[in-house]
Amino acid sequence: LVFVLVFGLVFGALIFGYSIAPIFETQSGVAVSRELPGDAILQGVLMALIIPFASSIIPLRFVLSQTLRDILDLRRSKTEAVKFSIERASSTKIPFSLMIMGITFFIFGFMIYYLLPFSIFSLELQVLLAVFFVLLLMILFGFVVLSLNLETVLQKVVLLIFVGWWEKLSIVRVVQGNLISHRQNNQKTSLMYSVSLSFVLFFTSILQLQSIAAGYGQLSSEGGTITVKRSPFSPSDASILETLITDPSSEVSKYVESHAWVTQSIGQLLGQGVQEEAVTHVGRSFQTNLNVRGISPRYLDTVVPGFLVLDSQNFGNDKNLSLSELLYTPRGSQSAWTSSFFKRTLNMKLSSYGVFFYRYNNDRYDNPAPIVQANSQLPQTEILATSSTTLSGNTSTVYTNHLFGVTAFLSQAPGLQFSDRPSNTGNFVVSFHTYLRLLKEVTNDDSRWRERIDFLRNIPVSKLILKLKPGTTGDQMDQLIARIRVAVSPTIFDYRSVETSIATFRSVVTIAGLFITAVVLALCFFSLVSSMLSNITGQSKEIGVLLSLGMQRGQVVRVFVYEAFVLVFTASLLGVISGTLIAFTVTLQQTVMTALPIPFYFPWEFVIFTFAAGWVSSFLSSYSAAKKAVSHTIVSILRHVED
């Protein structure tokens, strides 16, 4: 054991230092120490000491449970096609299987009933993640155990599909009988394959899923593959950018198919002067903070598709227009996009009005607008009504109220914050004309702000989203970005850098997953060799009988090769199905938690490698032992004595 332990540590250090670490550095660009960490060495030593001890318990219990006659009888076949047991009613044996089930159910109930609410209310994220991970492992193991109950049926199907349609019926029936009689002996190998492969597939899929979700999150947040940002752009810089991407004389405008502008929120633009920016209803029993933003008409034609989740909309007679263009109609100029969460919380409808208001410091805005009575029953052709109210006893705080209609309730939109869940803030999206009118009303046409913003011509935009023409090359994109940087020196988001990071991470995960799979299959291979050697040795007399009945030696060898193949293929298939179901469950959870249309990732390279390695291992584990078993004469095989 000491020699094997030292050899394993040295071999692992060499493999890690001269194979895994260089590959990781090449793929990720991150320097990695070539030495094995101390905790890895400690874990390896503990596993080397624990595994031999744990793995010897079940075989020793099985041997010691047999009678002395059965142990000494080496000539009688150990294969049992029919098995029965007699138990005393007064037996004092401890039911370990029931104890394990009871402990498992207790742990499951304790985590759900105590640890889960504890981690949520105490904001202990590590405990919450640990609970989720243990629950996933329980689901994974439960799927594997459940699938093993279908193993016999699945073995018949695999045997008929891969062997039964071209092999002789007599050989197929012998293989099927071997699978039944060796079921107990092969069960541990099947369980080892299924659990190991399902866990590796699940873990690999989760890592790939996290990288995909991160990319989708950034793309949804930015709204486009290339965005140009500043808080806000000066009128001259915005004009320079507009000319650069629209003027036909510009050498980079030919790469841009469309573009869209997004303004800074009114609250952010005015700064500390605005103390509160919120939405409510006429009854004012509930309110939520929001950010009022304006968007250009071609916004939805420019942003990346696939991230718009529409709850309901009111197109009226303008069904040929997009939602962003609808904001620029007479009806849309008095309406806005808002979160579908407000639809339930504020009991709002497309045909009703809501109220959003500003609370600001009157010391800064010392020329409030005249009071106008707000009417919730205004006809939909009216312009947004506005009212200003000063709190009694507090002359420094002023509210301005604005009625609005709803063009659409959204649960999600690219580049903008919407939600169908409770949230501290959200976006209130209007046209540029409405935005400027609101901005003028909120500032009460204050001269200090009039110097900064020309309400007739300049809009305080903070983000430009670009949609490039199909076929635009990487060099052309670099040229466009370089010209924008030289022109206005903004902050630029380029999704290609995110794609590169994600691709690097995914390639590292793929390589690591394949390596771990190879290690797992190598460990399972030793279990398979042990099982097949035991099966072949225990059926020596059956082999002699088959040979004496006229079956050729090559056919007998094929019987055991087919048995090993069906065993490995079925166990691998069950492991892949279990791991895929758990990975799909996690994908659904991530979709719910992130509100992103995250696609399900299925690791095809992992599955192909698994089944290819399974076929090779099934052949190597059975061919040589079966070939050796049939190489003797029939008489010596029947006597179980070698020549």
Side-chain angles (χ1 to χ4, degrees), residues 477-490:
M477 294 175 65
D478 292 336
Q479 182 183 3
L480 173 63
I481 292 174
R483 289 296 305 274
I484 293 175
R485 290 188 188 278
V486 172
V488 295
S489 301

Side-chain angles (χ1 to χ4, degrees), residues 11-26 34 511 515:
F11 181 75
L14 293 176
I15 292 296
F16 177 79
Y18 294 96
S19 178
I20 299 178
I23 293 176
F24 183 84
E25 289 180 352
T26 302
R34 303 300 177 90
I511 294 174
F515 178 78

